[in-house]
Amino acid sequence: MIKVLFICHGNICRSPMAACLLRALAEREGLSDRLEADSAAVTCEELGNPVYPPARRTLEGHGVPCDGHRARQLTASDYVAFDYLIGMDASNLRRMRSICGGDPDRRLSLLMDWTGRGGDVADPWYSGDFETAFRDIEAGCRAVLERLRPLLEQEDPLTAGGIRRAMGEAAAGLRIEALEKATSTNLLLRDRAEAGAPDGTVLTAETQTQGRGRRARRFFSPPGCGLYLSVLLRPSLPPEDAPLLTAAAAAAAAEAVEAVSGRAAQIKWVNDVLLDGRKVCGILTEGRVSAETGRFAYVVVGAGFNVCPPPGGFPPELAELAGTVLPEAADGARSRLAAEFLRRLRGYAARLEERTFLEPYRARSVVPGRRVTVYRTDGTQRAARALALDERCRLVVAYDDGSRETLDSGEVSLRMEGASYV
């Protein structure tokens, strides 16, 4: 369900006209069960009053019903309750920002901006020109419906508001933005980190054109069936502790997958989450170390989840390797998965030195006790048996000649015996 809130000065003319019209348009196209439209005021001048009679007559003249409305005022909680908050003029937008405490998720906008023309919808309460107001509002509502159509036609739309609602109070301090398309959420968020974006900034994308995993491997990112998100953290962390954050993210992802799927997840060292032996999530952690402090200036944690099967299936090279969290799309599943992951990741990251993630990680690790092949960055490879994970989440292996080595995830990759991917 996508939720849209229209806002004007008193909530008796423009905003209820927009809400009624958008509902009518959605109903005509069979989308009314996936779209909720409401309205509110930035002032308390008309609280409890019905739609202004000339506005009602204009709507009815165009075949748009508007029964049962009573004016109400916008509240800060509306910012969480609705996915899009759309004002009628610049004055509305300023007051919307004030009431909502800013716009961290970039969800406040003006109706005419959706049309590409920009400008305000003139208030007919002052001008008396309700037909012109209706034409502008109709153009705006049609543009809103067209822009939202890809989300509305999905079984499981993903929005910043949906993630916030799924997280509840745990979303405090996050800035969540849901993009239609990105080259790579990690790349975009690294650029924003360099520009000063704060800790807790989150980007999601419906699809990625340059999605990637470790060692620059391509990450398949089709629209509508995956969850692709990146989180900006600004921990006081030395470079040698970066693998801990990757492992914490993998533990958070595995627990999130279990919460949504109801099945036991496994972790392949260091950053792959598996269900029934198939990869359903990968983690990519990147950052920049400050020359002044020798610690990370920021870290971007990216996670890509295969939530449900893509139309037409996975590409041939992934068909035997990739799995999905769910067998089919389910309304709200991606928002819940994002919420479960973000909640757990933030908890682990806040207490990274305590290694609270380590036991959940070890409990799900499938590598210790298995025969593996160690692939080094110089191209060499060597057979070994994986023994255990140490306190820094490094892998201890025993080679066939009896020697042992503790491996860092940044230096090697593994292939488990019987598995077909590295």
Side-chain angles (χ1 to χ4, degrees), residues 163 166-167 227 251-253 255-260 305 333-346:
I163 296 171
M167 291 191 74
L227 172 63
E255 291 175 323
V257 165
E258 291 176 346
V260 173
F305 296 84
R334 291 193 295 167
S335 294
R336 185 185 171 201
L337 183 60
E340 296 284 355
F341 173 68
L342 290 170
R343 183 185 299 115
R344 288 169 167 81
L345 176 62
R346 295 185 83 198

mmCIF file with all atom_site columns, all heavy atoms in Angstrom, residues 163 166-167 227 251-253 255-260 305 333-346:
data_model
loop_
_atom_site.group_PDB
_atom_site.id
_atom_site.type_symbol
_atom_site.label_atom_id
_atom_site.label_alt_id
_atom_site.label_comp_id
_atom_site.label_asym_id
_atom_site.label_entity_id
_atom_site.label_seq_id
_atom_site.pdbx_PDB_ins_code
_atom_site.Cartn_x
_atom_site.Cartn_y
_atom_site.Cartn_z
_atom_site.occupancy
_atom_site.B_iso_or_equiv
_atom_site.pdbx_formal_charge
_atom_site.auth_seq_id
_atom_site.auth_comp_id
_atom_site.auth_asym_id
_atom_site.auth_atom_id
_atom_site.pdbx_PDB_model_num
ATOM 1   N N   . ILE A 1 163 ? 9.554  1.390   5.160  1.00 0.00 ? 163 ILE A N   1
ATOM 2   C CA  . ILE A 1 163 ? 10.642 0.918   6.026  1.00 0.00 ? 163 ILE A CA  1
ATOM 3   C C   . ILE A 1 163 ? 10.527 1.550   7.408  1.00 0.00 ? 163 ILE A C   1
ATOM 4   O O   . ILE A 1 163 ? 10.671 0.865   8.434  1.00 0.00 ? 163 ILE A O   1
ATOM 5   C CB  . ILE A 1 163 ? 12.009 1.235   5.394  1.00 0.00 ? 163 ILE A CB  1
ATOM 6   C CG1 . ILE A 1 163 ? 12.182 0.463   4.079  1.00 0.00 ? 163 ILE A CG1 1
ATOM 7   C CG2 . ILE A 1 163 ? 13.140 0.895   6.363  1.00 0.00 ? 163 ILE A CG2 1
ATOM 8   C CD1 . ILE A 1 163 ? 13.405 0.872   3.283  1.00 0.00 ? 163 ILE A CD1 1
ATOM 9   N N   . ALA A 1 166 ? 7.805  -0.080  9.388  1.00 0.00 ? 166 ALA A N   1
ATOM 10  C CA  . ALA A 1 166 ? 8.199  -1.424  9.837  1.00 0.00 ? 166 ALA A CA  1
ATOM 11  C C   . ALA A 1 166 ? 9.194  -1.361  10.998 1.00 0.00 ? 166 ALA A C   1
ATOM 12  O O   . ALA A 1 166 ? 9.220  -2.252  11.847 1.00 0.00 ? 166 ALA A O   1
ATOM 13  C CB  . ALA A 1 166 ? 8.798  -2.203  8.675  1.00 0.00 ? 166 ALA A CB  1
ATOM 14  N N   . MET A 1 167 ? 10.007 -0.306  11.044 1.00 0.00 ? 167 MET A N   1
ATOM 15  C CA  . MET A 1 167 ? 11.008 -0.183  12.112 1.00 0.00 ? 167 MET A CA  1
ATOM 16  C C   . MET A 1 167 ? 10.445 0.419   13.383 1.00 0.00 ? 167 MET A C   1
ATOM 17  O O   . MET A 1 167 ? 10.944 0.165   14.478 1.00 0.00 ? 167 MET A O   1
ATOM 18  C CB  . MET A 1 167 ? 12.184 0.681   11.634 1.00 0.00 ? 167 MET A CB  1
ATOM 19  C CG  . MET A 1 167 ? 13.042 0.044   10.578 1.00 0.00 ? 167 MET A CG  1
ATOM 20  S SD  . MET A 1 167 ? 14.576 0.969   10.279 1.00 0.00 ? 167 MET A SD  1
ATOM 21  C CE  . MET A 1 167 ? 15.514 0.554   11.768 1.00 0.00 ? 167 MET A CE  1
ATOM 22  N N   . LEU A 1 227 ? 16.157 -6.523  -2.666 1.00 0.00 ? 227 LEU A N   1
ATOM 23  C CA  . LEU A 1 227 ? 16.360 -5.405  -1.748 1.00 0.00 ? 227 LEU A CA  1
ATOM 24  C C   . LEU A 1 227 ? 17.818 -5.013  -1.848 1.00 0.00 ? 227 LEU A C   1
ATOM 25  O O   . LEU A 1 227 ? 18.699 -5.798  -1.479 1.00 0.00 ? 227 LEU A O   1
ATOM 26  C CB  . LEU A 1 227 ? 16.006 -5.806  -0.314 1.00 0.00 ? 227 LEU A CB  1
ATOM 27  C CG  . LEU A 1 227 ? 16.353 -4.804  0.785  1.00 0.00 ? 227 LEU A CG  1
ATOM 28  C CD1 . LEU A 1 227 ? 15.578 -3.504  0.603  1.00 0.00 ? 227 LEU A CD1 1
ATOM 29  C CD2 . LEU A 1 227 ? 16.076 -5.406  2.169  1.00 0.00 ? 227 LEU A CD2 1
ATOM 30  N N   . ALA A 1 251 ? 25.838 -11.205 9.958  1.00 0.00 ? 251 ALA A N   1
ATOM 31  C CA  . ALA A 1 251 ? 25.006 -11.756 11.027 1.00 0.00 ? 251 ALA A CA  1
ATOM 32  C C   . ALA A 1 251 ? 23.638 -11.084 11.049 1.00 0.00 ? 251 ALA A C   1
ATOM 33  O O   . ALA A 1 251 ? 22.604 -11.742 11.192 1.00 0.00 ? 251 ALA A O   1
ATOM 34  C CB  . ALA A 1 251 ? 25.703 -11.587 12.379 1.00 0.00 ? 251 ALA A CB  1
ATOM 35  N N   . ALA A 1 252 ? 23.630 -9.754  10.887 1.00 0.00 ? 252 ALA A N   1
ATOM 36  C CA  . ALA A 1 252 ? 22.365 -9.011  10.854 1.00 0.00 ? 252 ALA A CA  1
ATOM 37  C C   . ALA A 1 252 ? 21.516 -9.456  9.672  1.00 0.00 ? 252 ALA A C   1
ATOM 38  O O   . ALA A 1 252 ? 20.290 -9.619  9.786  1.00 0.00 ? 252 ALA A O   1
ATOM 39  C CB  . ALA A 1 252 ? 22.647 -7.513  10.781 1.00 0.00 ? 252 ALA A CB  1
ATOM 40  N N   . ALA A 1 253 ? 22.151 -9.657  8.528  1.00 0.00 ? 253 ALA A N   1
ATOM 41  C CA  . ALA A 1 253 ? 21.418 -10.079 7.331  1.00 0.00 ? 253 ALA A CA  1
ATOM 42  C C   . ALA A 1 253 ? 20.838 -11.471 7.517  1.00 0.00 ? 253 ALA A C   1
ATOM 43  O O   . ALA A 1 253 ? 19.685 -11.734 7.139  1.00 0.00 ? 253 ALA A O   1
ATOM 44  C CB  . ALA A 1 253 ? 22.339 -10.036 6.115  1.00 0.00 ? 253 ALA A CB  1
ATOM 45  N N   . GLU A 1 255 ? 20.026 -12.995 10.301 1.00 0.00 ? 255 GLU A N   1
ATOM 46  C CA  . GLU A 1 255 ? 18.911 -12.936 11.248 1.00 0.00 ? 255 GLU A CA  1
ATOM 47  C C   . GLU A 1 255 ? 17.682 -12.300 10.613 1.00 0.00 ? 255 GLU A C   1
ATOM 48  O O   . GLU A 1 255 ? 16.546 -12.716 10.868 1.00 0.00 ? 255 GLU A O   1
ATOM 49  C CB  . GLU A 1 255 ? 19.336 -12.174 12.496 1.00 0.00 ? 255 GLU A CB  1
ATOM 50  C CG  . GLU A 1 255 ? 20.364 -12.913 13.339 1.00 0.00 ? 255 GLU A CG  1
ATOM 51  C CD  . GLU A 1 255 ? 20.865 -12.099 14.511 1.00 0.00 ? 255 GLU A CD  1
ATOM 52  O OE1 . GLU A 1 255 ? 21.031 -10.874 14.362 1.00 0.00 ? 255 GLU A OE1 1
ATOM 53  O OE2 . GLU A 1 255 ? 21.088 -12.698 15.578 1.00 0.00 ? 255 GLU A OE2 1
ATOM 54  N N   . ALA A 1 256 ? 17.891 -11.279 9.777  1.00 0.00 ? 256 ALA A N   1
ATOM 55  C CA  . ALA A 1 256 ? 16.765 -10.641 9.083  1.00 0.00 ? 256 ALA A CA  1
ATOM 56  C C   . ALA A 1 256 ? 16.102 -11.617 8.124  1.00 0.00 ? 256 ALA A C   1
ATOM 57  O O   . ALA A 1 256 ? 14.866 -11.690 8.030  1.00 0.00 ? 256 ALA A O   1
ATOM 58  C CB  . ALA A 1 256 ? 17.252 -9.397  8.339  1.00 0.00 ? 256 ALA A CB  1
ATOM 59  N N   . VAL A 1 257 ? 16.902 -12.374 7.396  1.00 0.00 ? 257 VAL A N   1
ATOM 60  C CA  . VAL A 1 257 ? 16.365 -13.378 6.473  1.00 0.00 ? 257 VAL A CA  1
ATOM 61  C C   . VAL A 1 257 ? 15.535 -14.404 7.234  1.00 0.00 ? 257 VAL A C   1
ATOM 62  O O   . VAL A 1 257 ? 14.439 -14.796 6.799  1.00 0.00 ? 257 VAL A O   1
ATOM 63  C CB  . VAL A 1 257 ? 17.512 -14.060 5.697  1.00 0.00 ? 257 VAL A CB  1
ATOM 64  C CG1 . VAL A 1 257 ? 17.030 -15.333 5.009  1.00 0.00 ? 257 VAL A CG1 1
ATOM 65  C CG2 . VAL A 1 257 ? 18.103 -13.090 4.673  1.00 0.00 ? 257 VAL A CG2 1
ATOM 66  N N   . GLU A 1 258 ? 16.021 -14.838 8.381  1.00 0.00 ? 258 GLU A N   1
ATOM 67  C CA  . GLU A 1 258 ? 15.274 -15.809 9.183  1.00 0.00 ? 258 GLU A CA  1
ATOM 68  C C   . GLU A 1 258 ? 13.951 -15.235 9.674  1.00 0.00 ? 258 GLU A C   1
ATOM 69  O O   . GLU A 1 258 ? 12.925 -15.922 9.679  1.00 0.00 ? 258 GLU A O   1
ATOM 70  C CB  . GLU A 1 258 ? 16.128 -16.262 10.367 1.00 0.00 ? 258 GLU A CB  1
ATOM 71  C CG  . GLU A 1 258 ? 17.316 -17.122 9.959  1.00 0.00 ? 258 GLU A CG  1
ATOM 72  C CD  . GLU A 1 258 ? 18.211 -17.497 11.121 1.00 0.00 ? 258 GLU A CD  1
ATOM 73  O OE1 . GLU A 1 258 ? 18.081 -16.898 12.208 1.00 0.00 ? 258 GLU A OE1 1
ATOM 74  O OE2 . GLU A 1 258 ? 19.054 -18.400 10.935 1.00 0.00 ? 258 GLU A OE2 1
ATOM 75  N N   . ALA A 1 259 ? 13.974 -13.959 10.080 1.00 0.00 ? 259 ALA A N   1
ATOM 76  C CA  . ALA A 1 259 ? 12.763 -13.326 10.600 1.00 0.00 ? 259 ALA A CA  1
ATOM 77  C C   . ALA A 1 259 ? 11.675 -13.235 9.538  1.00 0.00 ? 259 ALA A C   1
ATOM 78  O O   . ALA A 1 259 ? 10.487 -13.374 9.841  1.00 0.00 ? 259 ALA A O   1
ATOM 79  C CB  . ALA A 1 259 ? 13.093 -11.936 11.145 1.00 0.00 ? 259 ALA A CB  1
ATOM 80  N N   . VAL A 1 260 ? 12.071 -13.012 8.295  1.00 0.00 ? 260 VAL A N   1
ATOM 81  C CA  . VAL A 1 260 ? 11.097 -12.841 7.217  1.00 0.00 ? 260 VAL A CA  1
ATOM 82  C C   . VAL A 1 260 ? 10.708 -14.177 6.583  1.00 0.00 ? 260 VAL A C   1
ATOM 83  O O   . VAL A 1 260 ? 9.550  -14.387 6.226  1.00 0.00 ? 260 VAL A O   1
ATOM 84  C CB  . VAL A 1 260 ? 11.652 -11.872 6.144  1.00 0.00 ? 260 VAL A CB  1
ATOM 85  C CG1 . VAL A 1 260 ? 10.739 -11.811 4.928  1.00 0.00 ? 260 VAL A CG1 1
ATOM 86  C CG2 . VAL A 1 260 ? 11.812 -10.474 6.743  1.00 0.00 ? 260 VAL A CG2 1
ATOM 87  N N   . PHE A 1 305 ? 19.864 -8.362  -1.309 1.00 0.00 ? 305 PHE A N   1
ATOM 88  C CA  . PHE A 1 305 ? 19.068 -9.551  -1.010 1.00 0.00 ? 305 PHE A CA  1
ATOM 89  C C   . PHE A 1 305 ? 18.254 -9.964  -2.238 1.00 0.00 ? 305 PHE A C   1
ATOM 90  O O   . PHE A 1 305 ? 17.636 -9.116  -2.883 1.00 0.00 ? 305 PHE A O   1
ATOM 91  C CB  . PHE A 1 305 ? 18.067 -9.272  0.119  1.00 0.00 ? 305 PHE A CB  1
ATOM 92  C CG  . PHE A 1 305 ? 18.663 -8.947  1.459  1.00 0.00 ? 305 PHE A CG  1
ATOM 93  C CD1 . PHE A 1 305 ? 19.069 -7.652  1.760  1.00 0.00 ? 305 PHE A CD1 1
ATOM 94  C CD2 . PHE A 1 305 ? 18.783 -9.931  2.439  1.00 0.00 ? 305 PHE A CD2 1
ATOM 95  C CE1 . PHE A 1 305 ? 19.585 -7.332  3.012  1.00 0.00 ? 305 PHE A CE1 1
ATOM 96  C CE2 . PHE A 1 305 ? 19.311 -9.620  3.695  1.00 0.00 ? 305 PHE A CE2 1
ATOM 97  C CZ  . PHE A 1 305 ? 19.709 -8.327  3.978  1.00 0.00 ? 305 PHE A CZ  1
ATOM 98  N N   . ALA A 1 333 ? 7.018  -7.341  2.348  1.00 0.00 ? 333 ALA A N   1
ATOM 99  C CA  . ALA A 1 333 ? 8.152  -8.198  2.714  1.00 0.00 ? 333 ALA A CA  1
ATOM 100 C C   . ALA A 1 333 ? 9.473  -7.456  2.620  1.00 0.00 ? 333 ALA A C   1
ATOM 101 O O   . ALA A 1 333 ? 10.338 -7.592  3.496  1.00 0.00 ? 333 ALA A O   1
ATOM 102 C CB  . ALA A 1 333 ? 8.170  -9.440  1.825  1.00 0.00 ? 333 ALA A CB  1
ATOM 103 N N   . ARG A 1 334 ? 9.668  -6.676  1.564  1.00 0.00 ? 334 ARG A N   1
ATOM 104 C CA  . ARG A 1 334 ? 10.956 -5.987  1.411  1.00 0.00 ? 334 ARG A CA  1
ATOM 105 C C   . ARG A 1 334 ? 11.136 -4.911  2.474  1.00 0.00 ? 334 ARG A C   1
ATOM 106 O O   . ARG A 1 334 ? 12.249 -4.725  2.993  1.00 0.00 ? 334 ARG A O   1
ATOM 107 C CB  . ARG A 1 334 ? 11.072 -5.396  0.002  1.00 0.00 ? 334 ARG A CB  1
ATOM 108 C CG  . ARG A 1 334 ? 11.207 -6.471  -1.069 1.00 0.00 ? 334 ARG A CG  1
ATOM 109 C CD  . ARG A 1 334 ? 11.633 -5.876  -2.394 1.00 0.00 ? 334 ARG A CD  1
ATOM 110 N NE  . ARG A 1 334 ? 10.622 -4.987  -2.946 1.00 0.00 ? 334 ARG A NE  1
ATOM 111 C CZ  . ARG A 1 334 ? 10.823 -4.155  -3.963 1.00 0.00 ? 334 ARG A CZ  1
ATOM 112 N NH1 . ARG A 1 334 ? 12.019 -4.063  -4.520 1.00 0.00 ? 334 ARG A NH1 1
ATOM 113 N NH2 . ARG A 1 334 ? 9.839  -3.405  -4.430 1.00 0.00 ? 334 ARG A NH2 1
ATOM 114 N N   . SER A 1 335 ? 10.074 -4.201  2.800  1.00 0.00 ? 335 SER A N   1
ATOM 115 C CA  . SER A 1 335 ? 10.164 -3.200  3.866  1.00 0.00 ? 335 SER A CA  1
ATOM 116 C C   . SER A 1 335 ? 10.504 -3.850  5.198  1.00 0.00 ? 335 SER A C   1
ATOM 117 O O   . SER A 1 335 ? 11.330 -3.343  5.965  1.00 0.00 ? 335 SER A O   1
ATOM 118 C CB  . SER A 1 335 ? 8.846  -2.421  3.991  1.00 0.00 ? 335 SER A CB  1
ATOM 119 O OG  . SER A 1 335 ? 8.601  -1.644  2.836  1.00 0.00 ? 335 SER A OG  1
ATOM 120 N N   . ARG A 1 336 ? 9.865  -4.974  5.471  1.00 0.00 ? 336 ARG A N   1
ATOM 121 C CA  . ARG A 1 336 ? 10.145 -5.663  6.729  1.00 0.00 ? 336 ARG A CA  1
ATOM 122 C C   . ARG A 1 336 ? 11.574 -6.187  6.754  1.00 0.00 ? 336 ARG A C   1
ATOM 123 O O   . ARG A 1 336 ? 12.269 -6.093  7.772  1.00 0.00 ? 336 ARG A O   1
ATOM 124 C CB  . ARG A 1 336 ? 9.160  -6.815  6.946  1.00 0.00 ? 336 ARG A CB  1
ATOM 125 C CG  . ARG A 1 336 ? 9.353  -7.467  8.305  1.00 0.00 ? 336 ARG A CG  1
ATOM 126 C CD  . ARG A 1 336 ? 8.477  -8.671  8.502  1.00 0.00 ? 336 ARG A CD  1
ATOM 127 N NE  . ARG A 1 336 ? 8.862  -9.366  9.732  1.00 0.00 ? 336 ARG A NE  1
ATOM 128 C CZ  . ARG A 1 336 ? 8.591  -10.624 9.996  1.00 0.00 ? 336 ARG A CZ  1
ATOM 129 N NH1 . ARG A 1 336 ? 7.911  -11.355 9.124  1.00 0.00 ? 336 ARG A NH1 1
ATOM 130 N NH2 . ARG A 1 336 ? 8.984  -11.177 11.130 1.00 0.00 ? 336 ARG A NH2 1
ATOM 131 N N   . LEU A 1 337 ? 12.033 -6.745  5.624  1.00 0.00 ? 337 LEU A N   1
ATOM 132 C CA  . LEU A 1 337 ? 13.404 -7.262  5.563  1.00 0.00 ? 337 LEU A CA  1
ATOM 133 C C   . LEU A 1 337 ? 14.411 -6.139  5.786  1.00 0.00 ? 337 LEU A C   1
ATOM 134 O O   . LEU A 1 337 ? 15.387 -6.299  6.531  1.00 0.00 ? 337 LEU A O   1
ATOM 135 C CB  . LEU A 1 337 ? 13.638 -7.931  4.206  1.00 0.00 ? 337 LEU A CB  1
ATOM 136 C CG  . LEU A 1 337 ? 14.997 -8.604  3.989  1.00 0.00 ? 337 LEU A CG  1
ATOM 137 C CD1 . LEU A 1 337 ? 15.224 -9.716  5.003  1.00 0.00 ? 337 LEU A CD1 1
ATOM 138 C CD2 . LEU A 1 337 ? 15.088 -9.149  2.570  1.00 0.00 ? 337 LEU A CD2 1
ATOM 139 N N   . ALA A 1 338 ? 14.178 -4.992  5.146  1.00 0.00 ? 338 ALA A N   1
ATOM 140 C CA  . ALA A 1 338 ? 15.060 -3.834  5.350  1.00 0.00 ? 338 ALA A CA  1
ATOM 141 C C   . ALA A 1 338 ? 15.053 -3.402  6.808  1.00 0.00 ? 338 ALA A C   1
ATOM 142 O O   . ALA A 1 338 ? 16.108 -3.108  7.395  1.00 0.00 ? 338 ALA A O   1
ATOM 143 C CB  . ALA A 1 338 ? 14.630 -2.685  4.448  1.00 0.00 ? 338 ALA A CB  1
ATOM 144 N N   . ALA A 1 339 ? 13.861 -3.356  7.400  1.00 0.00 ? 339 ALA A N   1
ATOM 145 C CA  . ALA A 1 339 ? 13.746 -2.932  8.795  1.00 0.00 ? 339 ALA A CA  1
ATOM 146 C C   . ALA A 1 339 ? 14.471 -3.891  9.734  1.00 0.00 ? 339 ALA A C   1
ATOM 147 O O   . ALA A 1 339 ? 15.190 -3.460  10.647 1.00 0.00 ? 339 ALA A O   1
ATOM 148 C CB  . ALA A 1 339 ? 12.272 -2.832  9.185  1.00 0.00 ? 339 ALA A CB  1
ATOM 149 N N   . GLU A 1 340 ? 14.289 -5.193  9.517  1.00 0.00 ? 340 GLU A N   1
ATOM 150 C CA  . GLU A 1 340 ? 14.954 -6.189  10.369 1.00 0.00 ? 340 GLU A CA  1
ATOM 151 C C   . GLU A 1 340 ? 16.470 -6.079  10.241 1.00 0.00 ? 340 GLU A C   1
ATOM 152 O O   . GLU A 1 340 ? 17.201 -6.160  11.234 1.00 0.00 ? 340 GLU A O   1
ATOM 153 C CB  . GLU A 1 340 ? 14.503 -7.600  9.982  1.00 0.00 ? 340 GLU A CB  1
ATOM 154 C CG  . GLU A 1 340 ? 13.025 -7.880  10.212 1.00 0.00 ? 340 GLU A CG  1
ATOM 155 C CD  . GLU A 1 340 ? 12.688 -8.113  11.666 1.00 0.00 ? 340 GLU A CD  1
ATOM 156 O OE1 . GLU A 1 340 ? 13.608 -8.160  12.494 1.00 0.00 ? 340 GLU A OE1 1
ATOM 157 O OE2 . GLU A 1 340 ? 11.493 -8.254  11.984 1.00 0.00 ? 340 GLU A OE2 1
ATOM 158 N N   . PHE A 1 341 ? 16.956 -5.887  9.031  1.00 0.00 ? 341 PHE A N   1
ATOM 159 C CA  . PHE A 1 341 ? 18.400 -5.773  8.815  1.00 0.00 ? 341 PHE A CA  1
ATOM 160 C C   . PHE A 1 341 ? 18.957 -4.504  9.449  1.00 0.00 ? 341 PHE A C   1
ATOM 161 O O   . PHE A 1 341 ? 19.972 -4.543  10.168 1.00 0.00 ? 341 PHE A O   1
ATOM 162 C CB  . PHE A 1 341 ? 18.706 -5.790  7.318  1.00 0.00 ? 341 PHE A CB  1
ATOM 163 C CG  . PHE A 1 341 ? 20.147 -5.502  6.978  1.00 0.00 ? 341 PHE A CG  1
ATOM 164 C CD1 . PHE A 1 341 ? 21.149 -6.403  7.302  1.00 0.00 ? 341 PHE A CD1 1
ATOM 165 C CD2 . PHE A 1 341 ? 20.499 -4.309  6.357  1.00 0.00 ? 341 PHE A CD2 1
ATOM 166 C CE1 . PHE A 1 341 ? 22.478 -6.139  7.000  1.00 0.00 ? 341 PHE A CE1 1
ATOM 167 C CE2 . PHE A 1 341 ? 21.822 -4.031  6.049  1.00 0.00 ? 341 PHE A CE2 1
ATOM 168 C CZ  . PHE A 1 341 ? 22.819 -4.945  6.373  1.00 0.00 ? 341 PHE A CZ  1
ATOM 169 N N   . LEU A 1 342 ? 18.321 -3.371  9.196  1.00 0.00 ? 342 LEU A N   1
ATOM 170 C CA  . LEU A 1 342 ? 18.826 -2.104  9.720  1.00 0.00 ? 342 LEU A CA  1
ATOM 171 C C   . LEU A 1 342 ? 18.811 -2.090  11.244 1.00 0.00 ? 342 LEU A C   1
ATOM 172 O O   . LEU A 1 342 ? 19.751 -1.602  11.875 1.00 0.00 ? 342 LEU A O   1
ATOM 173 C CB  . LEU A 1 342 ? 17.990 -0.948  9.172  1.00 0.00 ? 342 LEU A CB  1
ATOM 174 C CG  . LEU A 1 342 ? 18.153 -0.657  7.682  1.00 0.00 ? 342 LEU A CG  1
ATOM 175 C CD1 . LEU A 1 342 ? 17.099 0.347   7.220  1.00 0.00 ? 342 LEU A CD1 1
ATOM 176 C CD2 . LEU A 1 342 ? 19.553 -0.136  7.376  1.00 0.00 ? 342 LEU A CD2 1
ATOM 177 N N   . ARG A 1 343 ? 17.755 -2.602  11.833 1.00 0.00 ? 343 ARG A N   1
ATOM 178 C CA  . ARG A 1 343 ? 17.660 -2.623  13.305 1.00 0.00 ? 343 ARG A CA  1
ATOM 179 C C   . ARG A 1 343 ? 18.815 -3.429  13.910 1.00 0.00 ? 343 ARG A C   1
ATOM 180 O O   . ARG A 1 343 ? 19.477 -2.990  14.855 1.00 0.00 ? 343 ARG A O   1
ATOM 181 C CB  . ARG A 1 343 ? 16.319 -3.220  13.726 1.00 0.00 ? 343 ARG A CB  1
ATOM 182 C CG  . ARG A 1 343 ? 16.094 -3.207  15.235 1.00 0.00 ? 343 ARG A CG  1
ATOM 183 C CD  . ARG A 1 343 ? 14.794 -3.912  15.600 1.00 0.00 ? 343 ARG A CD  1
ATOM 184 N NE  . ARG A 1 343 ? 13.642 -3.276  14.998 1.00 0.00 ? 343 ARG A NE  1
ATOM 185 C CZ  . ARG A 1 343 ? 12.862 -3.852  14.086 1.00 0.00 ? 343 ARG A CZ  1
ATOM 186 N NH1 . ARG A 1 343 ? 13.136 -5.079  13.660 1.00 0.00 ? 343 ARG A NH1 1
ATOM 187 N NH2 . ARG A 1 343 ? 11.820 -3.224  13.610 1.00 0.00 ? 343 ARG A NH2 1
ATOM 188 N N   . ARG A 1 344 ? 19.071 -4.594  13.349 1.00 0.00 ? 344 ARG A N   1
ATOM 189 C CA  . ARG A 1 344 ? 20.130 -5.447  13.885 1.00 0.00 ? 344 ARG A CA  1
ATOM 190 C C   . ARG A 1 344 ? 21.518 -4.888  13.594 1.00 0.00 ? 344 ARG A C   1
ATOM 191 O O   . ARG A 1 344 ? 22.409 -4.927  14.448 1.00 0.00 ? 344 ARG A O   1
ATOM 192 C CB  . ARG A 1 344 ? 19.989 -6.856  13.312 1.00 0.00 ? 344 ARG A CB  1
ATOM 193 C CG  . ARG A 1 344 ? 18.804 -7.616  13.868 1.00 0.00 ? 344 ARG A CG  1
ATOM 194 C CD  . ARG A 1 344 ? 18.537 -8.901  13.101 1.00 0.00 ? 344 ARG A CD  1
ATOM 195 N NE  . ARG A 1 344 ? 17.602 -9.769  13.799 1.00 0.00 ? 344 ARG A NE  1
ATOM 196 C CZ  . ARG A 1 344 ? 16.289 -9.631  13.769 1.00 0.00 ? 344 ARG A CZ  1
ATOM 197 N NH1 . ARG A 1 344 ? 15.757 -8.640  13.056 1.00 0.00 ? 344 ARG A NH1 1
ATOM 198 N NH2 . ARG A 1 344 ? 15.502 -10.457 14.440 1.00 0.00 ? 344 ARG A NH2 1
ATOM 199 N N   . LEU A 1 345 ? 21.721 -4.380  12.382 1.00 0.00 ? 345 LEU A N   1
ATOM 200 C CA  . LEU A 1 345 ? 23.036 -3.831  12.041 1.00 0.00 ? 345 LEU A CA  1
ATOM 201 C C   . LEU A 1 345 ? 23.398 -2.670  12.949 1.00 0.00 ? 345 LEU A C   1
ATOM 202 O O   . LEU A 1 345 ? 24.534 -2.582  13.437 1.00 0.00 ? 345 LEU A O   1
ATOM 203 C CB  . LEU A 1 345 ? 23.047 -3.379  10.583 1.00 0.00 ? 345 LEU A CB  1
ATOM 204 C CG  . LEU A 1 345 ? 24.345 -2.688  10.124 1.00 0.00 ? 345 LEU A CG  1
ATOM 205 C CD1 . LEU A 1 345 ? 25.536 -3.631  10.238 1.00 0.00 ? 345 LEU A CD1 1
ATOM 206 C CD2 . LEU A 1 345 ? 24.207 -2.159  8.697  1.00 0.00 ? 345 LEU A CD2 1
ATOM 207 N N   . ARG A 1 346 ? 22.460 -1.777  13.180 1.00 0.00 ? 346 ARG A N   1
ATOM 208 C CA  . ARG A 1 346 ? 22.748 -0.628  14.051 1.00 0.00 ? 346 ARG A CA  1
ATOM 209 C C   . ARG A 1 346 ? 23.091 -1.086  15.459 1.00 0.00 ? 346 ARG A C   1
ATOM 210 O O   . ARG A 1 346 ? 23.971 -0.524  16.109 1.00 0.00 ? 346 ARG A O   1
ATOM 211 C CB  . ARG A 1 346 ? 21.564 0.335   14.082 1.00 0.00 ? 346 ARG A CB  1
ATOM 212 C CG  . ARG A 1 346 ? 21.273 1.010   12.748 1.00 0.00 ? 346 ARG A CG  1
ATOM 213 C CD  . ARG A 1 346 ? 20.171 2.014   12.896 1.00 0.00 ? 346 ARG A CD  1
ATOM 214 N NE  . ARG A 1 346 ? 20.644 3.281   13.392 1.00 0.00 ? 346 ARG A NE  1
ATOM 215 C CZ  . ARG A 1 346 ? 19.862 4.205   13.924 1.00 0.00 ? 346 ARG A CZ  1
ATOM 216 N NH1 . ARG A 1 346 ? 18.575 3.985   14.082 1.00 0.00 ? 346 ARG A NH1 1
ATOM 217 N NH2 . ARG A 1 346 ? 20.367 5.361   14.329 1.00 0.00 ? 346 ARG A NH2 1
#
